[in-house]
Amino acid sequence: MPKLLQTSPGRTSHATHPHPTCLIWGFKPAEVYFLSQMLTLAGFHFTTSLSPAAPALRVALTAQNVFPKDFPQNLQIIQASFSGIIPPPKGNPPPATVSQRYAVVRGGGTPKTTWNQTSIFQLPRQIAPLLTQLDQCCYPPRAQVLNIFGIKPRIGTSTIAFGLANSAKDSVYVDATSQSTSSLRTKYAEGPSKLGFPAIVHFSSLDIADDLLASRLRRVLPPLDKTRFLQLDSSQPRHISYVCSLLIRSFSLVVVDWGQLPASGIPLELPGKTLVVDDYQTSVQNPQVLRQLHRRGVRLVKNRTPKALSTSGEKTLSLPHCRELKRLQAQGLGSLWPPNFKTHLARLLQEILEDR
């Protein structure tokens, strides 16, 4: 998990990672051309030279039976063949029907090579599974996930969820409040509209459920001020776990706006941290629910408090009342939120991420 590095007024910064790079090695010129075209379409960064100045090198795609000794340590190896025939490997590698993914362990004495056995990809027939394997190697899970619920509707749950995502670099705001099917959706997304962004085109998770890789996801999702936006469509729940796996491999911070707290309580299987938003003026109406959340260790965010940001109780955070906010949202001026309110959100995000 990436840790918070620094906080500036109105902006929280996560560790920024260079684009993971794939090394293409040992193929013929025509084969390199084919692979370069496929990797470009899939959104991968790649190189054909082994340079010391390549800190983002994650995986090497090599021709069969090519095992360079000067590869960086712990570099993952995936092998592919264009011949359709796998000849016996030379030397002492594993049997002929496997490829070699290895790591050179440097230290005292002779370097050692550790082998993991997986199938050699036969190209071009197996280009799709090859790209999927590369995607998983280049983009392992890395995101911190925040699940935001509200005690009641219209208490600022979506505002806080979006504000937290918008306070961090390399983040995505996921609107999971809509239950409408894709056939009934409008041209523009409803979630951003209530936040003051009325012209954001509706982009559903169903649009990426079949064939998108993490390498392309950040280029596809529409921007929403300083973050990215995705509408999670719950009409077909089978695809949700796949979409979530893409998100946690593509971004450093994923903020999911779940809307009103369900009567059945918070699902136990949710990844990451969970926060529940409670309006300061209505908190006295939900004492039993709040006590239960406290006992479960769920963090509470009291919105619209009369004072500046402060801790008002065990595992409770607060946001001050911002008189200008609703007016700006109603006028479609989502990018003009008051700077002092953005600063409070950045501090709130820092405290949430640093809490263990």
Side-chain angles (χ1 to χ4, degrees):
M1 292 288 186
K3 293 185 178 180
L4 193 71
L5 293 183
Q6 62 182 358
T7 301
S8 59
R11 191 71 176 156
T12 300
S13 299
H14 286 74
T16 56
H17 303 274
H19 289 290
T21 303
C22 172
L23 172 66
I24 301 176
W25 192 268
F27 293 97
K28 299 176 181 178
E31 296 169 347
V32 172
Y33 178 79
F34 172 82
L35 289 171
S36 65
Q37 293 297 305
M38 293 298 101
L39 266 61
T40 299
L41 290 174
F44 290 104
H45 290 248
F46 62 90
T47 180
T48 56
S49 62
L50 188 59
S51 170
L57 198 62
R58 295 279 184 85
V59 60
L61 176 59
T62 71
Q64 62 189 47
N65 302 327
V66 176
F67 313 115
K69 296 181 180 179
D70 54 350
F71 274 10
Q73 63 180 8
N74 299 325
L75 183 67
Q76 298 185 79
I77 308 297
I78 297 176
Q79 287 203 306
S81 170
F82 283 86
S83 66
I85 302 175
I86 307 176
K90 300 177 182 179
N92 298 317
T97 57
V98 298
S99 69
Q100 289 73 25
R101 180 189 302 170
Y102 63 89
V104 177
V105 182
R106 293 180 174 84
T110 304
K112 298 180 180 179
T113 300
T114 302
W115 302 92
N116 288 326
Q117 301 180 0
T118 57
S119 298
I120 293 179
F121 290 95
Q122 300 301 306
L123 301 179
R125 177 172 57 87
Q126 292 185 316
I127 187 62
L130 171 62
L131 293 176
T132 300
Q133 183 67 39
L134 284 174
D135 196 57
Q136 293 173 353
C137 292
C138 287
Y139 296 88
R142 64 187 181 94
Q144 300 200 60
V145 181
L146 300 181
N147 301 287
I148 315 295
F149 293 88
I151 290 286
K152 290 185 176 182
R154 303 185 65 81
I155 60 173
T157 305
S158 296
T159 295
I160 291 176
F162 165 73
L164 293 176
N166 207 41
S167 299
K169 294 180 179 178
D170 193 28
S171 66
V172 58
Y173 165 68
V174 182
D175 182 7
T177 63
S178 175
Q179 303 296 323
S180 61
T181 63
S182 56
S183 61
L184 299 177
R185 71 186 188 188
T186 59
K187 179 180 179 181
Y188 296 110
E190 296 180 1
S193 178
K194 62 185 177 184
L195 296 168
F197 300 93
I200 301 299
V201 176
H202 192 293
F203 193 94
S204 169
S205 56
L206 292 178
D207 298 328
I208 60 173
D210 296 326
D211 59 354
L212 193 63
L213 302 172
S215 57
R216 292 185 56 212
L217 190 59
R218 275 146 46 93
R219 288 197 278 166
V220 172
L221 296 188
L224 190 62
D225 200 12
K226 298 177 182 178
T227 185
R228 296 280 176 171
F229 166 71
L230 176 66
Q231 176 77 58
L232 192 65
D233 194 319
S234 59
S235 63
Q236 298 183 27
R238 290 184 179 180
H239 78 287
I240 291 180
S241 61
Y242 170 69
V243 170
C244 290
S245 72
L246 287 176
L247 293 173
I248 64 175
R249 292 194 292 117
S250 302
F251 297 93
S252 293
L253 179 67
V254 179
V255 182
V256 187
D257 174 14
W258 293 101
Q260 185 175 357
L261 185 69
S264 57
I266 298 173
L268 297 177
E269 66 274 11
L270 288 178
K273 298 181 179 180
T274 299
L275 288 86
V276 175
V277 177
D278 182 31
D279 193 319
Y280 176 79
Q281 296 178 348
T282 61
S283 60
V284 294
Q285 303 173 12
N286 308 285
Q288 185 175 1
V289 176
L290 298 181
R291 283 195 296 268
Q292 292 175 353
L293 294 173
H294 273 304
R295 285 195 291 267
R296 288 186 54 183
V298 176
R299 302 230 44 177
L300 296 176
V301 178
K302 289 191 177 297
N303 194 20
R304 302 167 185 155
T305 58
K307 298 180 181 180
L309 183 67
S310 63
T311 301
S312 58
E314 183 182 0
K315 293 216 176 277
T316 302
L317 304 168
S318 302
L319 279 173
H321 178 60
C322 181
R323 297 181 181 275
E324 308 97 315
L325 193 58
K326 283 190 174 181
R327 176 179 58 82
L328 293 172
Q329 290 174 338
Q331 294 177 344
L333 302 175
S335 59
L336 297 181
W337 284 16
N340 61 333
F341 188 68
K342 292 182 180 180
T343 300
H344 287 307
L345 284 165
R347 292 175 180 171
L348 177 63
L349 177 63
Q350 181 179 18
E351 186 167 353
I352 292 168
L353 296 181
E354 290 178 347
D355 178 49
R356 297 185 183 276

